[in-house]
Amino acid sequence: MDTAAAPLEDGQRTSRQDWIDLARRTLIDGGVEKIKVLTLAKGLGVSRSSFYWFFKDRQDLLDQLLDHWEQTNTTAIVAHAARPAKTIAEAILNIFECWIDERLYSPRLDFAIRDWARRDASVRTRLDTAEATRVDALAAMYERHGFSARDASIQAKTCMKYK
């Protein structure tokens, strides 16, 4: 089965990314409880059965939505923290690129994930892991610029709290 695109009734195609994008917008606008296969299918203008070209079940979609969040928000912070910089100010400006470019880091998605994590322990675990990864990357950035491990950790945590 070709999972790149599922056929639609009118000859158009939808993709896995279309489903994930709509699930992301739904999560942001209404919360995880609003992510339902039938509702998403209606939003995409396709039959519910086309969902199963791409996902095993709703949980598979939710897992891939979390993967998408980690790959965007966390990966961007880690990558920008690792960029070469001559000064700590330049390094911090690299991080600020994430805060101002929502293609790199979506604060609305992060807030939605945090809200979801309040109700779901497995999501809380993934959130905690992502937070630790982000803080570690920022602390390493500060240490590269001469901060002690303790001070680097404090600065990293502060940076993540006030984004």
Side-chain angles (χ1 to χ4, degrees), residues 57-92:
D57 52 26
R58 179 179 180 266
Q59 187 59 52
D60 184 26
L61 171 63
L62 295 178
D63 290 343
Q64 291 190 40
L65 182 58
L66 284 168
D67 291 345
H68 167 78
W69 161 72
E70 288 175 338
Q71 291 167 3
T72 54
N73 285 17
T74 298
T75 300
I77 292 169
V78 170
H80 281 71
R83 282 184 173 176
K86 292 179 183 175
T87 66
I88 190 59
E90 185 180 330
I92 292 169

Side-chain angles (χ1 to χ4, degrees), residues 23-148:
R24 179 184 41 79
R25 289 190 306 270
T26 302
L27 176 67
I28 289 168
D29 294 339
V32 70
E33 60 279 351
K34 298 290 186 187
I35 300 175
K36 297 184 173 143
V37 175
L38 184 57
T39 305
L40 295 176
K42 285 181 182 178
L44 290 170
V46 299
S47 67
R48 179 182 176 163
S49 62
S50 67
F51 172 85
Y52 298 99
W53 278 73
F54 306 110
F55 308 98
K56 221 173 21 176
D57 52 26
R58 179 179 180 266
Q59 187 59 52
D60 184 26
L61 171 63
L62 295 178
D63 290 343
Q64 291 190 40
L65 182 58
L66 284 168
D67 291 345
H68 167 78
W69 161 72
E70 288 175 338
Q71 291 167 3
T72 54
N73 285 17
T74 298
T75 300
I77 292 169
V78 170
H80 281 71
R83 282 184 173 176
K86 292 179 183 175
T87 66
I88 190 59
E90 185 180 330
I92 292 169
L93 288 175
N94 286 338
I95 296 299
F96 282 5
E97 284 183 46
C98 297
W99 305 159
I100 61 173
D101 186 346
E102 287 197 25
R103 292 171 300 168
L104 299 174
Y105 176 91
S106 169
R108 294 181 69 214
L109 179 57
D110 231 57
F111 287 130
I113 296 293
R114 289 172 193 288
D115 184 54
W116 181 8
R118 289 188 355 224
R119 295 183 212 88
D120 186 318
S122 65
V123 176
R124 179 80 233 178
T125 299
R126 287 184 76 167
L127 174 63
D128 291 344
T129 300
E131 280 292 309
T133 299
R134 295 171 186 183
V135 168
D136 289 348
L138 291 172
M141 176 189 77
Y142 279 100
E143 285 185 52
R144 283 193 309 275
H145 290 279
F147 285 71
S148 70

